[in-house]
Amino acid sequence: MYDILYYVLAGIMTGIGGAWIFLIKSMTDSFRMAPYLDVFENSSKSSPKVSVILPARNEEEFIGKCLESLLAQDYENYEIIAVDDSSEDGTGRIISECSKKHSEIVPVSAGPKPDGWMGKNWACMEGYKEASGQLLLFTDADTTYSKNVISLAVAHLQSLKLDALSAIPRMQTFDFWTRISLSMISVFLHTRFSALNVNNPAKNTGYFFGSFFILKRETYEGIGTHKGVREEMIEDGALGKRTKEAGYKIRMVRGEHLIRAVWARNPSGLWNALKRLMVPLYLQSKKMAVGILLAVAFLLFVPFPVLAASLLAGGEPAMVLCWTAGVASVLIYVGVAIEARAGLGLKTAYAAFAPLGGLVVILGFLAGMKSASVVWRGRTYFMQGKKQDSISV
């Protein structure tokens, strides 16, 4: 009886190892072949006005540096629509003080969030109403930029005759738990949602990074603006998906050396960020969410306890299981080490905590399935009954 179980598990471990070989190849292909924001043949001959739409809620710790990097841009024709989304800290004051010193900043106080809207989506919509640019650049208040980012983005957009462009930022992390968990999750960003898939017209993958995406005003209006995704928790993914499905020409590029963003600021933020990834999937389909949770559990964690258990067992079937689980575990370590170093700029030593990072991800996803509510920037969102179509898996 146990022999059969060992061989069945060995087959599963072999499948997990094969999946990681595929993930590692896809990830390394993405790192090697994805285009860069600053590598293209520049044929741009005009400088259309860019409206940078910057929603901010309770961002006093970050928004000063964000505005400083935006004000230092070498692009001449732009404005910064800084939207205070009913902040409970000094965010509004910082925006107001900066706007008095710099005419490029247009301060906006968002009205009370209507029912049925996510906060950031509402703030972006309020910013859009005040924007006068032909191009709209959406970003986050915890993002900073090199001085030539807007110039490069506009020239890239025009030279390749694009409708929309999104750049992959360098994700900054501040605590141990975020570093070991993000290394696990980011593997999928550089595989399933890689630039190679987004840029391939034959693929239906469309995705924007919320920290940086620029698009033509008519494109934004053509996909229904943020009003069309007002209930979406992952609004950047939803907008990118809509843009690709509508037939617009979009491109994703690497910008890690030019743009820095924050994914989670502390363990509490990490926990809610993990829930935020699962809740939309759970609301789309409970069965699909359960399947994804099981797949993630087997891909990120199960080989490690199976390896430990098989080492304690005796007999030939247990040794076969030990070898297959060992190979799968090694491949997980290799994949996470590559992502930590090449994707996140972290020390490869964080890959040693892959089992722990995988467990945190699984528990966060499980929490998202048990409670369809998320705390984000000081607001609690109860998502039951709200349509979510941001990610197709």
Side-chain angles (χ1 to χ4, degrees), residues 193-251:
F193 299 101
S194 75
L196 301 184
N197 286 337
V198 172
N199 298 344
N200 186 347
K203 300 278 188 178
N204 62 3
T205 303
Y207 193 82
F208 289 152
F209 279 87
S211 51
F212 192 94
F213 65 95
I214 184 171
L215 67 174
K216 296 177 180 177
R217 176 182 284 269
E218 56 265 32
T219 301
Y220 180 64
E221 294 170 348
I223 60 173
T225 72
H226 273 81
K227 184 177 182 179
V229 297
R230 57 188 176 276
E231 293 187 337
E232 294 281 0
M233 186 171 289
I234 306 177
E235 86 295 333
D236 45 4
L239 287 168
K241 185 170 180 282
R242 280 184 166 227
T243 305
K244 186 75 174 283
E245 289 177 345
Y248 290 107
K249 189 176 181 182
I250 72 174
R251 196 178 209 217

Side-chain angles (χ1 to χ4, degrees), residues 44 53 84 104 106 123 130 169 186 195 207 264 276 315 320-321 379:
S44 175
I53 298 177
D84 174 26
E104 300 95 328
V106 179
E130 301 298 325
S186 293
Y207 193 82
R276 184 171 174 256
V320 173
L321 177 58
R379 287 188 176 115

Side-chain angles (χ1 to χ4, degrees), residues 255-366:
E256 297 99 319
H257 54 308
L258 299 168
I259 305 167
R260 291 182 173 271
V262 179
W263 192 69
R265 302 166 187 187
N266 50 47
S268 175
L270 167 66
W271 189 249
N272 279 287
L274 292 172
K275 290 176 63 178
R276 184 171 174 256
L277 290 175
M278 177 52 76
V279 167
L281 298 174
Y282 183 71
L283 294 177
Q284 284 183 52
S285 169
K286 294 181 181 179
K287 291 182 179 179
M288 179 180 70
V290 170
I292 291 171
L293 179 65
L294 290 173
V296 169
F298 274 89
L299 280 172
L300 301 186
F301 181 72
V302 169
F304 300 111
V306 169
L307 174 60
S310 63
L311 284 170
L312 299 175
E316 181 179 340
M319 288 305 299
V320 173
L321 177 58
C322 180
W323 276 104
T324 55
V327 170
S329 299
V330 169
L331 287 169
I332 294 174
Y333 281 124
V334 170
V336 175
I338 293 172
E339 173 58 38
R341 186 63 180 172
L344 299 173
L346 298 174
K347 295 178 180 178
T348 54
Y350 284 105
F353 299 94
L356 187 56
L359 183 60
V360 170
V361 172
I362 294 162
L363 293 175
F365 282 5
L366 181 61

Side-chain angles (χ1 to χ4, degrees), residues 27 31 171 178-194 209 263 277 335 339-340 343-344 361:
M27 182 170 50
F31 288 136
M171 292 294 187
T178 301
R179 285 169 182 161
I180 65 171
S181 303
L182 187 56
S183 297
M184 309 295 282
I185 298 169
S186 293
V187 170
F188 299 102
L189 285 176
H190 289 111
T191 52
R192 173 65 177 86
F193 299 101
S194 75
F209 279 87
W263 192 69
L277 290 175
E339 173 58 38
L344 299 173
V361 172

Side-chain angles (χ1 to χ4, degrees), residues 133-153:
Q134 299 161 261
L135 300 176
L136 306 176
L137 168 57
F138 291 90
T139 187
D140 290 331
D142 54 10
T143 305
T144 55
Y145 319 84
S146 297
K147 67 178 183 179
N148 58 345
V149 168
I150 294 180
S151 296
L152 288 169

